[in-house]
Amino acid sequence: MLVVDDEHALLLSYRLILEQNGYEVTTASTADEAESLLDHQHYDLLLCDLTLERHNGGLDVIRHARKRDPLLGCLLLTGYPDAELSDEVKKDGTHTLFKPVEVPKLLETVKFMLRARRQTAPPPQDRERRKG
């Protein structure tokens, strides 16, 4: 999975928590870095902070990711509870967690989203054919 946050301490915490629970994690600290990784690597899940180096940069990263893989599970992490934003991102299946994120809730959500991804994603060979 790809985890994106511009706060280094949080990024490191997410990575350690997820890796200690058996997940393979790649990290990025900017929208540009995340988009580049998404262009060159396949991920089963994207966890992304809302406000990166630009306002709502996380939404830009999610839009970019969904262009590459419409079925990609996306989890938006934000410290700014906003019902309008939450409703907007739910329309395309993006989940939202509000900071500070409780570890059990993070792990529960990741597990749920990966399970859903496995049930809806085409086999890897079909994914590759669609990209070409």
Side-chain angles (χ1 to χ4, degrees), residues 48-52 55-64 76 85 88-89 94:
C48 192
D49 184 34
L50 173 63
T51 52
L52 296 170
H55 182 68
N56 288 349
L59 291 179
D60 294 338
V61 172
I62 289 171
R63 286 184 196 108
H64 183 89
L76 186 66
L85 172 68
E88 177 186 335
V89 298
T94 298

Side-chain angles (χ1 to χ4, degrees), residues 19-57:
E19 286 180 344
Q20 288 174 350
N21 282 274
Y23 297 106
E24 188 175 320
V25 178
T26 302
T27 60
S29 58
T30 68
D32 290 338
E33 181 183 6
E35 290 172 0
S36 178
L37 288 166
L38 288 161
D39 286 343
H40 296 97
Q41 180 69 33
H42 168 76
Y43 297 97
D44 290 324
L45 188 61
L46 170 64
L47 281 70
C48 192
D49 184 34
L50 173 63
T51 52
L52 296 170
E53 70 277 9
R54 56 186 187 254
H55 182 68
N56 288 349

Side-chain angles (χ1 to χ4, degrees), residues 39-123:
D39 286 343
H40 296 97
Q41 180 69 33
H42 168 76
Y43 297 97
D44 290 324
L45 188 61
L46 170 64
L47 281 70
C48 192
D49 184 34
L50 173 63
T51 52
L52 296 170
E53 70 277 9
R54 56 186 187 254
H55 182 68
N56 288 349
L59 291 179
D60 294 338
V61 172
I62 289 171
R63 286 184 196 108
H64 183 89
R66 287 277 168 76
K67 285 180 189 172
R68 310 259 325 143
D69 182 355
L71 298 176
L72 178 65
C74 296
L75 176 59
L76 186 66
L77 306 169
T78 180
Y80 307 99
D82 180 337
E84 187 176 309
L85 172 68
S86 194
D87 288 343
E88 177 186 335
V89 298
K90 281 181 188 175
K91 289 178 189 172
D92 71 358
T94 298
H95 294 260
T96 306
L97 287 180
F98 298 102
K99 294 179 182 180
V101 177
E102 296 178 10
V103 172
K105 183 65 175 173
L106 174 66
L107 295 173
E108 173 188 325
T109 304
V110 165
K111 184 177 180 180
F112 168 81
M113 292 180 73
L114 286 172
R115 188 176 323 124
R117 167 73 175 187
R118 288 185 193 106
Q119 292 172 353
T120 60

Side-chain angles (χ1 to χ4, degrees), residues 3-24:
V3 180
V4 187
D5 200 308
D6 59 350
E7 293 182 49
H8 182 72
L10 282 176
L11 189 62
L12 182 59
S13 294
Y14 295 141
R15 181 179 185 171
L16 291 173
I17 290 164
L18 292 164
E19 286 180 344
Q20 288 174 350
N21 282 274
Y23 297 106
E24 188 175 320

